[in-house]
Amino acid sequence: MPEAIRLLLVDDEWLVRAGLRTMLSGDPDIEIVGEAADGDGIAELVAETGATVVLMDIRMPGVNGLTAAERLSALPSPPHVVMLTTFDADDLVVAALRAGADGFLLKDTPPADLVAALHAVVAGDPILSPQVTRRLIEQVTEPDRDARSATATRQIAELTPGEQRVAVAVAQGLSNADIARELFVTVATVKSHISHILDKLALTNRVQIALLVHDAGVQRT
């Protein structure tokens, strides 16, 4: 049975929020516990509503989604954060993922795919397709790329060979079940490796693992 989701909708357009509410309210495992027009006071609202997932626009007046995601990631028990955007190559998307967001969806994502994505992120599976992940990381062109690459290479070296193989598979957008099949291990082993990777490297989620692997230039062997 899918895990119940307490969902908070954050978008500056009330019509978008109304549309999302209509699309998502039909799922018995999704409870929409609140709405907001921007990211101001988002941490307090999460605490007040007990939201476990925040579905939030990136570009908003006032406090945008990037700043809000950073604030949420600093919470002791942060909710899952899924960003909404109309831009599949938005420069803020990569920044949001680095800030701790669990992924992003385009605003024209079909309702069934949106529902499935929310359940996937709660289950710990990626919500970015390999194609979208590739397009996103190709946007990373900051001037400190060489420094990031050196840092990422050192961090990857801290992992065991098994953890490195799982990290690369995560960067390819594979689910836990797919990784288990690819590496001939159990799903429990994959989950254990991912947990160790997050702890060792002080990362928040598997999207950050994917970005780290990209920065390090690690390829599948």
Side-chain angles (χ1 to χ4, degrees):
M1 177 179 295
E3 182 177 341
I5 295 172
R6 294 180 60 80
L7 183 65
L8 179 63
L9 302 175
V10 186
D11 194 291
D12 60 299
E13 298 184 29
W14 71 266
L15 192 58
V16 171
R17 298 198 306 273
L20 290 170
R21 179 178 284 275
T22 298
M23 284 192 294
L24 298 171
S25 59
D27 188 303
D29 297 308
I30 296 178
E31 179 186 0
I32 299 174
V33 296
E35 297 182 13
D38 74 6
D40 188 31
I42 192 71
E44 293 79 5
L45 189 56
V46 165
E48 177 185 329
T49 60
T52 55
V53 179
V54 177
L55 184 60
M56 177 165 55
D57 192 10
I58 286 184
R59 293 185 179 273
M60 297 181 290
V63 178
N64 64 27
L66 175 57
T67 300
E70 291 173 338
R71 293 176 181 177
L72 290 175
S73 67
L75 294 176
S77 299
H80 297 286
V81 176
V82 178
M83 310 302 296
L84 283 170
T85 180
T86 55
F87 305 97
D88 59 355
D90 193 319
D91 59 340
L92 286 182
V93 171
V94 172
L97 296 177
R98 293 191 183 282
D102 295 282
F104 92 99
L105 297 169
L106 299 180
K107 285 190 175 180
D108 60 359
T109 299
D113 291 345
L114 177 57
V115 170
L118 293 177
H119 283 295
V121 73
V122 170
D125 283 335
I127 62 167
L128 301 178
S129 69
Q131 294 83 1
V132 173
T133 302
R134 192 174 304 114
R135 292 183 67 178
L136 283 175
I137 60 181
E138 286 171 355
Q139 303 302 315
V140 184
T141 57
E142 299 95 334
D144 63 344
R145 186 166 190 162
D146 289 343
R148 284 202 332 274
S149 177
T151 299
T153 299
R154 287 195 299 271
Q155 289 180 292
I156 291 295
E158 297 176 17
L159 305 178
T160 67
E163 290 166 352
Q164 290 182 15
R165 287 191 289 270
V166 169
V168 172
V170 167
Q172 294 173 327
L174 300 182
S175 68
N176 290 345
D178 289 335
I179 295 173
R181 283 192 293 270
E182 289 278 335
L183 300 182
F184 302 102
V185 297
T186 66
V187 172
T189 297
V190 173
K191 290 181 177 180
S192 177
H193 279 324
I194 291 175
S195 178
H196 290 160
I197 293 168
L198 295 174
D199 288 343
K200 283 184 179 180
L201 305 184
L203 301 177
T204 305
N205 55 53
R206 60 197 297 145
V207 179
Q208 290 183 336
I209 294 175
L211 291 171
L212 186 73
V213 168
H214 173 264
D215 286 344
V218 180
Q219 302 294 324
R220 183 176 177 181
T221 58

